[in-house]
Amino acid sequence: MAWMSAIFAFILYLIVHISIFRAFQPKERFRTLKTLFFSFLPVVFVGSALLPLALSESVLNIESFPFISGSTLEYLNAIGLSIFLFFGYCTFYSLVDRSVSVRVHTELTQIKNQPLTFKKLLAHYQPNQATERRFSHMIDRGYLEKRDDRFYLTQKGGVLATRVSALKKFLNLGIGG
């Protein structure tokens, strides 16, 4: 039954997230999302403790885990579900907030579906702003440093690049971007 607290906390998270973003328009939006998520994890714990544990109705076979109590498994289920919901929402949020395709669709919708040439579409899209925003984000997160109008990869950025390159090679994805 602890999973119910995860669902409740996620719904509450969405309400607070939407309220904050509509009222304040935070500059560091993804950091705000993460901070909110971690602030709602205690809601999952408290909610799990307040809900009666119906172990007999649990999906897990508690007897097959002799070193872990049933309540611990319920908490782990709730935390796992919370993390799954958060990552799923982050994927959706990134699509809406950062997707080039969505931005192009939005631009075409705002001009009442008038056909545009590629050149006119670029005038509406302003790809330099999107690129500057992404570089600014990488600098803020510590992946890049900017000195003398040049970009340098930090140690943190190098670790990420190495891991992502290995994953892309393993999945045969090519350079991408």
Side-chain angles (χ1 to χ4, degrees):
M1 288 298 200
W3 61 270
M4 291 172 62
S5 65
I7 300 291
F8 173 75
F10 184 72
I11 291 169
L12 193 60
Y13 166 83
L14 287 177
I15 292 168
V16 172
H17 162 247
I18 292 167
S19 300
I20 288 173
F21 275 53
R22 291 193 55 82
F24 302 108
Q25 295 178 341
K27 182 181 177 198
E28 295 189 5
R29 294 185 295 264
F30 195 72
R31 180 176 284 175
T32 305
L33 288 178
K34 288 191 306 187
T35 303
L36 279 175
F37 171 72
F38 287 116
S39 67
F40 273 89
L41 281 180
V43 174
V44 175
F45 281 116
V46 171
S48 297
L50 294 177
L51 289 172
L53 292 173
L55 296 178
S56 61
E57 298 176 16
S58 178
V59 175
L60 294 173
N61 181 2
I62 302 302
E63 291 80 27
S64 65
F65 298 97
F67 301 110
I68 302 175
S69 71
S71 61
T72 302
L73 287 174
E74 290 289 332
Y75 279 119
L76 291 175
N77 273 343
I79 295 301
L81 179 59
S82 296
I83 291 169
F84 174 76
L85 289 170
F86 177 69
F87 283 157
Y89 182 70
C90 285
T91 302
F92 168 76
Y93 179 83
S94 293
L95 172 74
V96 172
D97 186 42
R98 295 190 168 246
S99 172
V100 173
S101 301
V102 171
R103 175 71 190 264
V104 169
H105 288 92
T106 303
E107 293 296 337
L108 288 172
T109 301
Q110 288 178 352
I111 60 169
K112 308 295 182 215
N113 291 324
Q114 296 174 5
L116 289 177
T117 63
F118 182 69
K119 194 174 188 177
K120 286 184 180 180
L121 184 60
L122 283 180
H124 285 275
Y125 175 59
Q126 301 173 347
N128 287 341
Q129 285 181 340
T131 304
E132 288 173 9
R133 181 174 158 199
R134 288 183 183 181
F135 274 82
S136 175
H137 177 79
M138 289 186 283
I139 291 168
D140 291 344
R141 299 293 173 260
Y143 298 110
L144 294 178
E145 288 180 2
K146 185 176 180 183
R147 290 179 266 142
D148 303 324
D149 286 334
R150 294 176 186 221
F151 294 96
Y152 298 90
L153 195 61
T154 64
Q155 183 177 359
K156 181 179 177 181
V159 169
L160 177 67
T162 302
R163 289 178 181 169
V164 170
S165 295
L167 181 61
K168 284 182 155 198
K169 185 177 180 181
F170 176 74
L171 296 173
N172 198 23
L173 296 176
I175 294 173

